Amino acid sequence: MWAKMEFFQEQAVTSSDKAFFRLRKEIVEGVIPSGSKLSETELSTKYQVSRAVVREAINRLEACNIVERRANVGARVVSLSPEGLAELYQVREALEGMAARLAALHMSAEEVADLNALLNSQSHEVKSAELYYQEAGDLDFHYRIILGSKNSHLISMLVNGLYHLVRMYRVQLGMAGPRVTSAFDEHKHIVQAISNRDPELAEMLMRRHITYSKNNIEAKLQNSL
Amino acid sequence: MWAKMEFFQEQAVTSSDKAFFRLRKEIVEGVIPSGSKLSETELSTKYQVSRAVVREAINRLEACNIVERRANVGARVVSLSPEGLAELYQVREALEGMAARLAALHMSAEEVADLNALLNSQSHEVKSAELYYQEAGDLDFHYRIILGSKNSHLISMLVNGLYHLVRMYRVQLGMAGPRVTSAFDEHKHIVQAISNRDPELAEMLMRRHITYSKNNIEAKLQNSL
DNA sequence: ATAAGTTAAATTGTCGACAATCTATTGGTT
DNA sequence: AACCAATAGATTGTCGACAATTTAACTTAT
C-alpha cells in the first residue's frame, strides 16, 4: 500500500553520495548529536574513505542547512531550538501552501484519484487504530502534493532540504504519532479542494494544516526542554 | 544613498569562495552561456587553481540550482526557459510573500523608518526620471524586506539561491528597467502595510507585486524567443 | 550502409601529502 | 591574579597524481 514511497529512494552512485546519505541519516536520527563538531579526519577513518569525499558530503549537508560551517574552523551540526523550529515551519507553510495551490492546478486526474485512494486506505487504518504507519502515511500525503505541484524548485527545496530538518526535529524530540485523527481530517479537506480544482482553498487549508502541526510540535518542545 | 547595499557583499575568505563567486558571476552575466558544459580541468587552468577548488565551486553552484550535475558525466549551466521562469516566480511569490508577512511582524521601528526613507529618496528619482539606479533600488527594497523577516532559512533561500537565478534571467533577457513607476507605487503600498503592522495585507500585496513582475518579464520573454 | 562490439581518449571521482590557518597551551609581564 | 605574546599542536584548505567511468572513434559483421 505504501509502495509509492520510493519518492526519496535516491540512489547513491558515487562514494560521496553514500557518505552524504549515511552522515545525514546519523545526524537526523541523533546518532551524531546536534551541536557536535564534525571532524573530517575522524569521519574519513570511521567511514573508510578519503577526506575529500567526507568534505564533499559535509559541503552538501551545509547546503541543506543541516550543518553550519566556518572557513578554516570546521563544521558543526546545527542545534535545535524553538526559534529554529518556528522559522522552519514558516517556510514550510509558504512553500507547501504554494505546492497545494499548484497541485490543484497541475495534478493529473490519475494522481488525484491515487491521492483519494491513499486517503481511503488510511481512513480504514485510522478507524481501526492501526496507527503503525501513521508517520509514513503523513509523509506520503505531503510528498504527493509537493510532487503534484510539478515545480522543480519547490520539490527540490522541500524534499532535499527542509524535510530532513523537519524529520530531525521530529525524531530528536521523540514524537512518534501525534494528532492522528485531526490531521487526517485536514488531509481529507485538502484533497477535496484539490479534487475540485480550487487552488486558493487548497493553499489556505494546507497553510492552516501546517500551522496546526507547528503548534502541536511546539507544545511538545516546551515539555521536553 | 544606496550605501546600505552591502547586503550581499559576501567576502571571499577561501580560494574556493573566489572561484565560486567568479564562476557564478560569469554564468549569471552570460559570459559562460546557459546550457554550456563546465569542464573542471578547463576551468582550473583558466582560474589558475586546483581542480578540487573548481569542483567545490561547481558543487556549490549545483546547490544554488545554477548548474545541473550528473555523476561521472559533468556539470552544465542550466538552460533558461519560460517554464523555468514561471516556476522561479511561483517560489518567489510564496517565499517573499511570507517574508513581507514576517517583516510586518518583526521589523524594528528603525528598520521601518529606513525603509520609508528609502522610498522617499526613490520617489524623488522616479519623478525626476533619474532611473539609472532603478534596478539597484528595486533590489534594495526587496532585500530589506527579506532581511526584515528575521527568518534565516527564508533569507538564505532567497539571497543565496533564487535571486541569482532571477538576475540571470533579467540580465540574459536584457531587461534593464521595466515598469518603474507602477512598481514604485506597489512598493509604497507594501511599506504602508508593514508600517501599519498588517501582516496579511503585506503578504497579499507582495504576492501581487511579484505576480505583476512575473507577467511583465514573461511578456518580454515572448518577444525575445 | 547500418548496427553492434571493441578499443582509445578524455573526463570525472578518489586518494594521500603538503601548505595555510586556527586553537590551546605555555611563558612572561604588569 | 589577570592579561598579552609566542609557540606547539591539530584541523582545515589546496594540490597533483592515480583510478574508475563515460564518450567517441574505429573495426567488424550482418
Side-chain angles (χ1 to χ4, degrees):
Chain A
M1 175 53 60
W2 312 91
K4 291 227 176 183
M5 283 291 280
E6 71 268 8
F7 290 152
F8 38 41
Q9 291 290 356
E10 358 173 36
Q11 58 188 4
V13 8
T14 179
S15 181
S16 287
D17 291 339
K18 288 199 270 285
F20 170 60
F21 291 143
R22 178 172 173 189
L23 191 50
R24 185 178 63 185
K25 181 181 168 74
E26 294 191 3
I27 291 175
V28 167
E29 299 184 354
V31 179
I32 298 176
S34 62
S36 63
K37 187 172 190 310
L38 293 179
S39 165
E40 295 183 356
T41 54
E42 186 184 328
L43 286 171
S44 71
T45 60
K46 180 181 170 188
Y47 286 3
Q48 298 279 39
V49 289
S50 144
R51 244 191 69 215
V53 320
V54 170
R55 201 177 156 73
E56 195 166 321
I58 291 179
N59 279 333
R60 286 208 244 172
L61 286 174
E62 187 193 12
C64 301
N65 294 304
I66 290 179
V67 309
E68 288 171 342
R69 159 168 260 169
R70 274 178 18 188
N72 289 311
V73 173
R76 310 189 74 85
V77 179
V78 294
S79 43
L80 308 183
S81 68
E83 297 80 25
L85 182 69
E87 291 188 5
L88 201 57
Y89 269 75
Q90 285 162 356
V91 176
R92 247 194 103 184
E93 181 184 332
L95 289 180
E96 288 204 54
M98 179 58 77
R101 165 185 289 262
L102 296 174
L105 293 170
H106 299 325
M107 273 182 105
S108 72
E110 186 187 351
E111 287 171 319
V112 175
D114 284 352
L115 195 51
N116 272 302
L118 175 69
L119 276 200
N120 283 335
S121 75
Q122 290 179 352
S123 161
H124 178 269
E125 305 193 8
V126 170
K127 287 177 190 163
S128 59
E130 302 171 8
L131 304 178
Y132 314 129
Y133 300 103
Q134 132 282 344
E135 188 173 1
D138 184 69
L139 261 184
D140 200 354
F141 171 80
H142 283 273
Y143 269 100
R144 290 191 193 215
I145 291 179
I146 292 167
L147 295 181
S149 75
K150 309 287 170 72
N151 183 314
S152 61
H153 285 129
L154 217 45
I155 294 170
S156 170
M157 283 179 165
L158 285 166
V159 174
N160 299 323
L162 284 185
Y163 259 64
H164 296 282
L165 272 174
V166 172
R167 209 167 92 80
M168 188 168 162
Y169 271 97
R170 282 230 182 100
V171 170
Q172 301 204 14
L173 297 183
M175 28 205 8
R179 227 170 63 81
V180 183
T181 52
S182 58
F184 175 76
D185 285 337
E186 291 161 22
H187 286 188
K188 247 175 46 180
H189 291 137
I190 293 171
V191 172
Q192 219 156 34
I194 292 177
S195 299
N196 293 338
R197 304 295 183 185
D198 187 336
E200 277 80 20
L201 185 60
E203 174 168 14
M204 184 190 187
L205 292 176
M206 178 61 88
R207 288 181 68 156
R208 284 173 52 178
H209 172 59
I210 289 173
T211 300
Y212 294 154
S213 185
K214 180 184 85 171
N215 293 340
N216 183 65
I217 191 173
E218 270 180 342
K220 299 244 176 179
L221 191 129
Q222 292 293 337
N223 300 342
S224 71
L225 282 189
Chain B
M1 176 51 61
W2 313 91
K4 291 228 177 183
M5 283 292 279
E6 72 267 9
F7 289 153
F8 38 40
Q9 291 290 356
E10 358 174 36
Q11 57 188 3
V13 7
T14 178
S15 181
S16 288
D17 292 338
K18 287 199 271 283
F20 170 60
F21 292 144
R22 178 171 172 188
L23 190 50
R24 185 178 63 186
K25 181 180 168 72
E26 293 191 3
I27 291 176
V28 167
E29 298 184 355
V31 179
I32 298 176
S34 62
S36 62
K37 187 172 191 308
L38 293 179
S39 166
E40 294 183 357
T41 54
E42 186 185 328
L43 286 171
S44 72
T45 61
K46 181 181 170 188
Y47 286 3
Q48 297 279 42
V49 290
S50 146
R51 245 192 67 217
V53 172
V54 171
R55 200 178 158 72
E56 194 166 321
I58 292 180
N59 278 333
R60 285 208 245 173
L61 287 174
E62 188 193 12
C64 302
N65 293 303
I66 289 179
V67 310
E68 288 171 340
R69 159 167 261 172
R70 274 178 18 189
N72 289 310
V73 173
R76 310 190 75 85
V77 179
V78 294
S79 42
L80 308 183
S81 68
E83 298 80 24
L85 182 68
E87 291 187 3
L88 202 57
Y89 269 75
Q90 285 162 356
V91 176
R92 245 194 105 185
E93 181 183 332
L95 290 180
E96 288 205 55
M98 178 59 77
R101 166 185 289 262
L102 296 174
L105 294 170
H106 299 326
M107 273 181 106
S108 72
E110 186 188 352
E111 287 171 321
V112 175
D114 285 351
L115 195 52
N116 272 302
L118 175 70
L119 276 199
N120 284 334
S121 75
Q122 290 180 352
S123 160
H124 177 268
E125 305 192 8
V126 170
K127 286 177 189 162
S128 60
E130 302 171 9
L131 305 177
Y132 315 129
Y133 300 103
Q134 132 281 346
E135 187 174 1
D138 184 70
L139 260 185
D140 200 354
F141 172 79
H142 283 273
Y143 269 100
R144 290 189 194 218
I145 291 178
I146 291 166
L147 294 182
S149 75
K150 309 286 170 72
N151 183 315
S152 61
H153 286 127
L154 217 45
I155 295 169
S156 170
M157 282 179 165
L158 285 166
V159 174
N160 299 324
L162 283 184
Y163 259 63
H164 296 282
L165 273 173
V166 172
R167 209 167 94 79
M168 187 167 164
Y169 272 97
R170 282 230 183 99
V171 170
Q172 303 205 11
L173 298 182
M175 27 204 10
R179 228 169 63 81
V180 182
T181 52
S182 59
F184 176 76
D185 285 338
E186 291 161 23
H187 286 188
K188 248 177 42 182
H189 291 137
I190 292 170
V191 172
Q192 220 156 33
I194 291 177
S195 298
N196 293 338
R197 304 296 183 183
D198 188 336
E200 276 80 19
L201 184 59
E203 175 169 12
M204 185 190 184
L205 291 176
M206 178 62 88
R207 288 182 68 157
R208 284 173 51 177
H209 171 58
I210 289 173
T211 300
Y212 294 153
S213 185
K214 180 183 87 173
N215 293 339
N216 183 66
I217 191 173
E218 270 179 341
K220 300 244 175 179
L221 191 130
Q222 292 292 337
N223 300 342
S224 70
L225 282 190

